[in-house]
Amino acid sequence: MSEWKAKRFWTEATVVPLDQGFTVELDGRSVKTPGKALLVMPTRALAAAVAEEWQAQGEMINPMTMPTTRTANSAIDKVAVQHDEVATLLAAYGDSDLLCYRADRPVELVARQAAAWDPLLDWGETELGARLEPRVGVMHAPQDPEALAALARQTRALPDFELTAFHDLVSLSGSLIIGFAAARGAWPAEELWEISRLDELFQIEQWGRDEEAEAMAAAKRESFLHARRIFDLLAD
């Protein structure tokens, strides 16, 4: 039995302004989320990106080619109804932030971690008011509660759509600080993604590439860059 797929039923996808934001209509029919809520977005730029994804569909609808639509759906159906829970989950990354767990050898890796990660920790102290301290090894060592509280406040302050994209920035990189740096455009997104993979890239240099692992990393990279683009669309 072949898998059922939804067929395209519209000719034109258009952006429509509303009192509370913008939505997308397909030949005059409003787009709904999987949870049956009206797909209302805070900026015209984000709505236009969603409309472009719908307009680009062929005869059969392929949700995997609609990442911006999926993000908007998640913001409305998932994050908006449990904002505090999502924010708390992400804020917890600060106490085990990737940037804080350092190798003790080899010296080449130690040096690379310090060169790439220390500036981000310094930025976090200056721009976020939260100093996270590095430690050697993988055993958990708690961070300063005041620093964690400052990061948690700023995470909870993110609106639903931003928090949705922020979720991917943090969870994919393993770092709350990298997530904030990406969201605020403090570093190029590509550079931050490479920084988050520093340990992996070092291992590749030592042992060679694995095609399956590389394919997975490429998919994660695209999701990370997409999440950063969402912040641009929300700023317009």
Side-chain angles (χ1 to χ4, degrees):
M1 180 182 295
S2 61
E3 183 180 356
W4 179 87
K5 294 183 179 180
K7 293 183 179 181
R8 178 170 182 151
F9 58 84
W10 68 94
T11 301
E12 186 176 8
T14 56
V15 175
V16 177
L18 303 171
D19 290 340
Q20 65 272 43
F22 301 86
T23 191
V24 172
E25 291 185 354
L26 308 176
D27 293 346
R29 298 172 60 178
S30 297
V31 173
K32 301 291 184 65
T33 71
K36 307 304 181 184
L38 182 63
L39 188 63
V40 180
M41 292 155 282
T43 67
R44 180 180 290 276
L46 182 62
V50 169
E52 288 176 7
E53 290 180 347
W54 284 90
Q55 192 64 33
Q57 294 301 298
E59 181 181 354
M60 311 302 291
I61 303 173
N62 182 4
M64 296 308 297
T65 64
M66 307 172 75
T68 311
T69 302
R70 296 201 310 272
T71 297
N73 288 338
S74 294
I76 295 169
D77 284 351
K78 297 178 180 179
V79 174
V81 298
Q82 52 181 354
H83 185 280
D84 287 346
E85 292 89 338
V86 174
T88 298
L89 173 71
L90 295 177
Y93 276 80
D95 201 33
S96 58
D97 199 286
L98 167 77
L99 304 180
C100 295
Y101 289 84
R102 307 295 179 87
D104 59 357
R105 60 183 186 278
V107 293
E108 295 90 342
L109 178 57
V110 173
R112 288 188 195 183
Q113 289 177 339
W117 294 353
D118 286 355
L120 278 160
L121 293 180
D122 293 341
W123 177 86
E125 180 178 19
T126 301
E127 299 298 327
L128 303 174
R131 178 68 195 184
L132 299 184
E133 296 293 344
R135 59 264 287 113
V136 175
V138 296
M139 295 297 293
H140 176 257
Q143 294 286 343
D144 176 25
E146 291 187 6
L148 296 178
L151 293 172
R153 285 193 297 272
Q154 292 169 83
T155 303
R156 293 192 178 94
L158 293 171
D160 294 333
F161 278 80
E162 289 190 9
L163 188 63
T164 303
F166 190 66
H167 175 278
D168 286 350
L169 293 175
V170 174
S171 61
L172 289 168
S173 68
S175 170
L176 189 60
I177 299 299
I178 286 179
F180 274 115
R184 299 190 180 190
W187 268 262
E190 284 272 13
E191 182 178 346
L192 287 171
W193 176 246
E194 293 299 304
I195 287 173
S196 77
R197 296 192 66 222
L198 189 150
D199 288 351
E200 297 172 53
L201 295 173
F202 184 82
Q203 291 301 318
I204 289 172
E205 289 179 15
Q206 309 308 306
W207 305 105
R209 297 184 177 276
D210 177 273
E211 290 187 7
E212 184 176 347
E214 286 292 290
M216 186 177 299
K220 290 181 178 180
R221 169 187 170 278
E222 185 57 35
S223 295
F224 183 87
L225 297 180
H226 165 72
R228 177 61 192 88
R229 286 194 292 271
I230 293 295
F231 278 89
D232 291 334
L233 295 173
L234 290 170
D236 289 347

